[in-house]
Amino acid sequence: MHVLLLGGTTEARRLAEMLNAQAPHLRVTSSLAGRVASPRSLPGQVRIGGFGGADGLARWLREHDVDALIDATHPFAGTISFNAAHAAAVTHTPLLALRRPGWVPVEGDDWHPAGSLEEAAAVLPTLGSRVFLTTGRMGLAAFAALDELWFLVRSVDPPEAPHPRSMEALLERGPFDLDGERELLRRFRIDVVVTKDSGGSGTAPKLVAAREAGVPVVVVRRPPVPEEVPVTAEPEQALEWLIGHLDGTDGIVA
């Protein structure tokens, strides 16, 4: 039986590894968008690139005899989630979303929500002048006109223009630890942080470091996702659901 795993996240990797170890009889294809030049290796088959929209994904599901679909894409890859919901519906393919919960502010946080990168850029001049920008290399154009600010941009691959004129690139791949994030804020004299609400623990230490240092954080809210798709936050529950559907017992996600 064939499982298509729309991946690119830590949770998707964990699920692929679990399927390889615990369900070796399944054929698993992990699909990556191709936005990272050198993705980490994955067990099973790997395809890179888009499908050509919802209809293209539906066609791929049919042509490759996919028995179940897991949407474990990044919380900000909203379009593919809607495409997956449409493709699963028209092909009658069981679909589960493996989606990490968003972050929740705690006492001491100075968070400033934004509905988009453009909204985040608009509020920045009122909050600080030395920005730690952790939204990835995509979308830097939204900050390109802020010539009066200095940016530290962290991404896996080198940023491409258009981007802020006063900028230093920090090429790193998470997860990141708290001591390292504390040192980064101190060394670069950061006075405001910008992040997407990606959730998860791998990049959360920057929020703790900002709270400790009294640094404000601009948090870009997640885009909408299909509400009709069942969701779990844990790869273990996704594995239970998947095996249940494939063996006919309809695994239940709590």
Side-chain angles (χ1 to χ4, degrees):
M1 292 188 174
H2 189 190
V3 178
L4 177 60
L5 175 58
L6 305 177
T9 59
T10 301
E11 292 78 11
R13 172 176 301 280
R14 282 178 54 200
L15 179 56
E17 292 171 346
M18 291 167 60
L19 287 169
N20 182 64
Q22 301 181 39
H25 58 288
L26 296 181
R27 174 187 169 201
V28 179
T29 300
S30 293
S31 178
L32 307 178
R35 293 179 178 175
V36 176
S38 300
R40 292 169 174 164
S41 61
L42 287 164
Q45 298 175 336
V46 178
R47 71 171 301 279
I48 296 178
F51 292 92
D55 292 339
L57 177 53
R59 185 165 51 252
W60 202 95
L61 295 178
R62 292 190 183 101
E63 292 176 350
H64 294 82
D65 297 322
V66 173
D67 298 286
L69 177 61
I70 304 288
D71 175 14
T73 55
H74 193 276
F76 282 80
T79 299
I80 185 62
S81 293
F82 280 98
N83 289 349
H86 174 81
V90 299
T91 60
H92 306 288
T93 303
L95 168 64
L96 175 72
L98 174 56
R99 189 172 297 125
R100 66 184 73 149
W103 291 315
V104 178
V106 300
E107 184 178 356
D109 282 327
D110 182 12
W111 284 16
H112 300 259
S116 65
L117 293 177
E118 289 73 19
E119 285 188 22
V123 75
L124 273 181
T126 69
L127 296 175
S129 60
R130 295 183 65 82
V131 184
F132 182 27
L133 189 58
T134 68
T135 56
R137 66 187 181 94
M138 311 294 290
L140 292 182
F143 306 90
L146 298 177
D147 292 339
E148 70 275 19
L149 306 184
W150 180 88
F151 290 84
L152 176 66
V153 175
R154 180 161 69 188
S155 63
V156 177
D157 295 319
E160 299 177 356
H163 55 64
R165 183 179 65 182
S166 300
M167 180 192 78
E168 180 171 339
L170 189 62
L171 303 183
E172 292 183 337
R173 191 195 301 263
F176 305 101
D177 61 48
L178 180 55
D179 287 342
E181 300 293 64
R182 288 168 174 157
E183 172 60 18
L184 187 148
L185 297 186
R186 184 199 64 78
R187 177 159 52 101
F188 290 99
R189 296 179 288 115
I190 299 298
D191 57 14
V192 59
V193 175
V194 182
T195 182
K196 294 177 178 178
D197 181 15
S198 300
S201 60
T203 57
K206 65 189 170 191
L207 302 175
V208 179
R211 181 191 315 134
E212 293 176 348
V215 171
V217 181
V218 180
V219 181
V220 181
R221 292 189 292 266
R222 295 180 175 190
V225 293
E227 296 182 356
E228 69 275 14
V229 176
V231 179
T232 183
E234 300 297 333
E236 291 80 5
Q237 289 186 330
L239 176 63
E240 178 184 342
W241 175 92
L242 183 59
I243 293 176
H245 270 281
L246 296 182
D247 67 13
T249 59
D250 289 339
I252 300 300
V253 177

